[in-house]
Amino acid sequence: MSTLSQLTERQGHPDKVKATANMTIEAIQNRFVDITKAYKSLTDETIRENLEKYGNPDGRVDVSMGIALPKWIVEGKNNIWVLGFYGIVFGGALPALVGRWWFGSRQKTKDGVNALSAAAFFKTLKEESTFEEVLGTFGRSFQWELPVQKAKSLPELDTLEKRIEETAGLKWKEVRKICGQEPLRRKGLILLYAHLLRLDIHSSVLRAEQSQILLQAPLLLNALLNIATSRNWLSPSVTIMRLHAYLTQALLPGPERIRFAQLPGIKLEEATTLAPKANDLREFEQALIDKHDGRMLDVRTALSKWGRVEIVDAAFKVIGERIVTPSSIVFLVVKLRVSPPQTCPVEEKELSVDEIKRRLTFNDEKDEEFLTSRKEAEETPSEDLLPGLVHAPYWPGERKPSWWIVLGDEKSNRVVVPPMKITDIPFARPNHERDYRSYKIQFQAPQNVGVFPWRMQLVSDSFVHEDTSRDVILRIEDASTLPNEEPSEDEISDPDEDTIAGQMAAMRGGPVKKRVEEESDDESSTDDDEKNDSSSDSDSD
């Protein structure tokens, strides 16, 4: 044993073993210590007993854990200061922070606006609200949405208000009356109207506040829209949606020719005088070309990505059904594409009959796949097929175009289905088999049978006077009154009587198909055989 121990010690001694990449000096030393302890456990009864009881030759090893704290914290003379600090943090600062978050969140609605602003919207908005009334209702929220410390009036505000009153006239007075004379409301409304009229503001403080109001406007308008749609009011809902576009393009609602002021470099006064005979954007561009106006290149570039949307198709569909029955789940499927105004439209090539059939089959399969999916829109097309950002030089930031799909009943001024906001509508691509994108809105059909003439509107939040609409008719039919259809060849027929399936069906009392024709054929063949036999006998005689 001693000879083995000496041999092992010589082989494992740190002075005898050289360190390598896989064996460090610390590992060599630890291995030598383990070998020594193992040898002693064979010769020393106490070490062997410790190894058996505690798994360690050295006996029980007490493990203690603690937190590394600075020495001055645990010193007795600093106890009062440490307790005071913990008392301030956990007894004062933390409850104050949680309370501030709690009461602050209670002041906000789920739309992210102040609860008092939402209450003002609810009380002021009416079913027949005009644009001025909607704008005045919107302005009432500035009392709670603008910081109080910025309520101090500046001399330039009075100057701006006079210019606004000279330009807008009675409509400004109507809006100001609805909004009220509270300082923050007045200030916010003046800055808002200065943006709509494209008035220059010299004060950097007022320009910063105006940018803050504009960037916060979409959130406030969405809250106002939710209140209008919750009451199913169609007219104010569409007006609120269109206000988004007016704010984006810095235009005050007016005659339809005001749309020309959205083009690059076109001022408000030039919108009505530069091309008086132009009725649309394409004719306005042509007028600039005829006058050799230097702005025609910028106008052409902007029009090449203009957000004019074309409704390819709009129809009501029910999964697995040909008709719409009362209280069924209906989908309004809308196919859209962006068709900018162009001076030289592309002619579509003629297709053969086989190619037309192939495209129809392909589109039908895609439509059915989309209808049965859970997505509200088809897959997003590639970036090069999208319009990109909106040309809006007066908006404080970049803006991506979006649209609302609104289904309403204009006779009763009611919203049938809550509006759906969509984006990423692809450009029209002539001579392509599917140059549009499909969207769908799900709702429950009315409980009564009848015909419901509705109108689907597509409202832009970025382009003024670029809305489009289409009349859609929903027919609710009673399935019990329809004539029974004859079974088609594809339907499963009753099993034959002489088959195993037919015998099992007969045992259960089910219908089976009797093979009458084959029996008659067998009988006829038997008769023929008998005749042949008789004729052969006569010949033999």
Side-chain angles (χ1 to χ4, degrees), residues 133-390:
E133 292 172 342
V134 169
L135 195 56
T137 302
F138 171 65
R140 295 175 69 90
S141 63
F142 296 143
Q143 179 180 353
W144 302 281
E145 302 298 336
L146 293 181
V148 179
Q149 60 268 23
K150 294 185 179 182
K152 183 179 178 181
S153 178
L154 296 176
E156 191 174 0
L157 276 178
D158 300 331
T159 305
L160 287 174
E161 186 174 12
K162 291 180 181 179
R163 295 176 62 187
I164 292 171
E165 188 172 356
E166 292 174 357
T167 306
L170 297 177
K171 292 185 177 180
W172 161 253
K173 294 182 179 180
E174 181 181 356
V175 174
R176 188 179 58 184
K177 181 179 178 181
I178 298 173
C179 183
Q181 292 297 324
E182 197 274 335
L184 283 175
R185 294 183 185 178
R186 173 179 174 269
K187 185 179 188 177
L189 191 63
I190 291 175
L191 295 178
L192 190 66
Y193 252 83
H195 170 74
L196 294 174
L197 295 174
R198 300 184 180 182
L199 302 179
D200 295 330
I201 298 178
H202 303 289
S203 173
S204 59
V205 176
L206 291 180
R207 286 199 302 270
E209 293 181 3
Q210 186 185 56
S211 299
Q212 179 185 357
I213 291 173
L214 293 177
L215 293 176
Q216 197 175 3
L219 182 67
L220 297 173
L221 288 177
N222 287 336
L224 186 59
L225 178 62
N226 290 337
I227 292 177
T229 55
S230 64
R231 299 178 174 181
N232 297 328
W233 292 344
L234 179 60
S235 178
S237 297
V238 175
T239 301
I240 296 169
M241 296 175 191
R242 290 172 177 168
L243 184 54
H244 282 267
Y246 285 112
L247 290 176
T248 301
Q249 298 295 341
L251 293 175
L252 192 66
E256 189 174 356
R257 296 184 60 83
I258 201 69
R259 69 163 70 177
F260 300 142
Q262 302 176 87
L263 299 175
I266 306 300
K267 300 179 180 179
L268 289 174
E269 55 273 12
E270 293 179 326
T272 55
T273 60
L274 190 59
K277 296 183 179 180
N279 295 321
D280 55 22
L281 294 173
R282 185 175 60 83
E283 294 180 0
F284 191 87
E285 177 194 4
Q286 187 61 43
L288 294 179
I289 295 175
D290 296 340
K291 294 182 179 181
H292 302 286
D293 195 304
R295 295 168 290 186
M296 61 182 180
L297 295 178
D298 294 335
V299 170
R300 180 178 298 175
T301 303
L303 289 180
S304 64
K305 295 186 177 182
W306 201 254
R308 176 176 293 177
V309 178
E310 176 186 357
I311 302 176
V312 180
D313 187 29
F316 296 105
K317 295 185 179 180
V318 179
I319 297 178
E321 299 291 342
R322 291 189 308 103
I323 62 173
V324 181
T325 56
S327 302
S328 60
I329 302 300
V330 185
F331 293 92
L332 172 62
V333 181
V334 185
K335 301 176 181 179
L336 305 173
R337 63 189 176 197
V338 175
S339 300
Q342 298 177 352
T343 54
C344 299
V346 180
E347 296 183 1
E348 296 188 6
K349 63 180 181 180
E350 296 183 0
L351 301 176
S352 62
V353 177
D354 295 337
E355 181 66 18
I356 293 176
K357 291 181 179 180
R358 189 192 66 81
R359 288 193 177 187
L360 291 176
T361 304
F362 172 77
N363 289 327
D364 290 342
E365 292 176 355
K366 285 288 186 180
D367 293 343
E368 185 65 24
E369 179 183 355
F370 171 63
L371 182 64
T372 55
S373 67
R374 296 184 178 182
K375 299 178 181 179
E376 294 182 345
E378 285 185 323
E379 295 295 335
T380 305
S382 57
E383 291 292 335
D384 57 337
L385 300 178
L386 301 178
L389 300 177
V390 180

Side-chain angles (χ1 to χ4, degrees), residues 456-482:
M456 188 206 71
Q457 300 185 57
L458 198 67
V459 184
S460 173
D461 74 338
S462 304
F463 299 95
V464 175
H465 289 298
E466 291 297 344
D467 303 340
T468 184
S469 62
R470 173 175 290 191
D471 292 331
V472 290
I473 299 177
L474 177 63
R475 291 181 173 85
I476 307 296
E477 303 180 39
D478 190 356
S480 61
T481 60
L482 297 178

Side-chain angles (χ1 to χ4, degrees), residues 6 67-68 100 232 283 305 322 325 416 421 530:
Q6 293 175 359
I67 301 176
R100 181 179 179 183
N232 297 328
E283 294 180 0
K305 295 186 177 182
R322 291 189 308 103
T325 56
V416 177
K421 195 170 186 180
E530 292 178 352

